[in-house]
Amino acid sequence: MTLTGELKWWQSGIIYQIYPRSFQDASGDGVGDLRGITARLPYVASLGVEAVWLSPIFTSPMRDFGYDVADYCDIDPLFGTLEDFDALVAEAHRLGLKVMLDYVPNHSSSDHPWFQEALRGKDSDKRDWYVWRDPAPGGGVPNNWKSFFGGPAWTLDEASGQYYLHQFLPTQPDLNWRNPAVRAAMFEALRFWMRRGVDGFRVDVIWLLAEDERFLDEPVNSDWRPGEIEHASLEHIYTQDQPETHEYIREMRAVLDEFDDRMMVGEIYLPVEKLLPFAGTADAPMVHLPFNFHLILMPWDAEQIRAFADRYDGACRAAHTWPNWVLGNHDQHRFRTRVGDAQYRVAQTLLLTLRGTPTVYYGDEIGMRNVPVPPERMVDPAGLQQPDTPAAGRDPERTPMQWDTTPNAGFSAPGTEPWLPLAEDFAAVNVQVQEADPNSDLHYFRALTRLRREHPALVGGDYRSLDTGHPDVFAFERTLEAGRVVVALNFGAQTRDLGEVLGGECLLSSLGDQPQPGAPLRPNEARVLRG
Ligand code: NOJ
């Protein structure tokens, strides 16, 4: 157990992810911006979250919507200016919110002056800032490595006859982290933002920084099935989770530790035993939180989730690592769509009551669903480049925030065409309507964050799962000193009598009432009880 006062902000608080293009358009061009976000920060603070993480806002040609950075130390004009950014940070801090930026170290944009300089030829002093290889002996790509967005991870630079590596788009060349000058320049960017008051970073694809120097073919993944993205057809033993990557992250952490109380959370899609080492050790720390995406990746099944939560919580304890949980982000389909309407509040309750830092994706607090995007409005390169893999498209989870019932849902001025279509049901699912309805999903979300504040056991308390006798019910307790809170989640459509487990006073039910102590758990009900 950990008393709340002993926890850091990134352990006790909730991280709220904003996808800046889709939060609030103040300039009237159909794309969200910094002034829009700043205007909406009081709403964010009202949710009871601790920090906002902004997906990339840096200078970019936007071929991957900002994950292709052309200047790590400036704001793209689409989003505003450095002054707008300073105003955003000041307002966030005034409201008691931390600000986290999205740091994209694995690759730059091909428009970045470093890459443009590297293209000048083999003698360019920036050539070695990227990863170049000669063609294979018989010609063609140097090896079989694949891009996450389909096709080879290599593109030919005809002028020099060499290929450069890109694990994403050809316009996102991989930086060469083996080069100390690259690391120095990239670390300077971190300092630039920390000096401006930034409290932390989400680090993009941090497990991909280094590649094996032998550049051997990766083996075929025999578990790959048609319908999965092409990238998954290989086992990425030479492009992911390399020992050098761990070394570079230790250096990155040392840069953060030059400043007070900063943090980084790393984007890492790996199994638990490979994930937790990214937190490092007390002597050689790495990321503060290695993102745990397993609730997104596993089936929505009470027994499997219980088994995972037990294993993950135990592994975090053994590794002295703080746990964290995620249900959605800008790369994953909306969790309401994944788990279904009936299970939406069960999932939200789980996210906000398990031991560990929750990360919440904008709009999930009002229950936004995937928005079907017609082919002529699709813009995500991951989807456009992989037409045979419809699930690869990420537009449906990136649509504008639904604020009110006016045309464009209050995201953009009426008459403007937002960059992605709005949900058809926005007139019913929006902040304004839900503010006025005490039984809304928004109020349910706030009730959960209030419970976290009122019951320190839900934040720092130990976790232990409970036997319920029903495979479709997952129940657990959180205990801190004399405080005990029980969470019971019915994943099924049957009423379940759990006897003693439900014996405490009901603090919150997802069904909006307050059942008597001991009352059976109803279909799809989430209940939080005093222990
Ligand atoms: C992971 C990001 O979350 C995703 O949106 C992006 O396309 C890739 N990294 C490339 O930066």
Side-chain angles (χ1 to χ4, degrees), residues 252-267:
M252 197 183 284
R253 171 62 180 263
V255 175
L256 264 80
D257 289 346
E258 293 168 12
F259 295 74
D260 261 3
D261 205 17
R262 312 299 159 108
M263 69 83 79
M264 59 175 165
V265 47
E267 186 197 19

Side-chain angles (χ1 to χ4, degrees), residues 240-256:
Q240 305 191 354
D241 196 17
Q242 301 297 301
E244 292 86 345
T245 294
H246 289 235
E247 184 53 40
Y248 305 149
I249 297 172
R250 283 188 278 271
E251 291 179 22
M252 197 183 284
R253 171 62 180 263
V255 175
L256 264 80

Side-chain angles (χ1 to χ4, degrees), residues 64 67 104 107 149 168 172 202 204-205 267 330-331 394 398:
D64 190 18
Y67 285 95
V104 190
H107 45 270
F149 293 161
F168 295 90
Q172 291 169 298
R202 174 266 190 188
D204 192 63
V205 294
E267 186 197 19
H330 62 293
D331 296 329
R394 301 169 296 180
R398 296 177 173 183

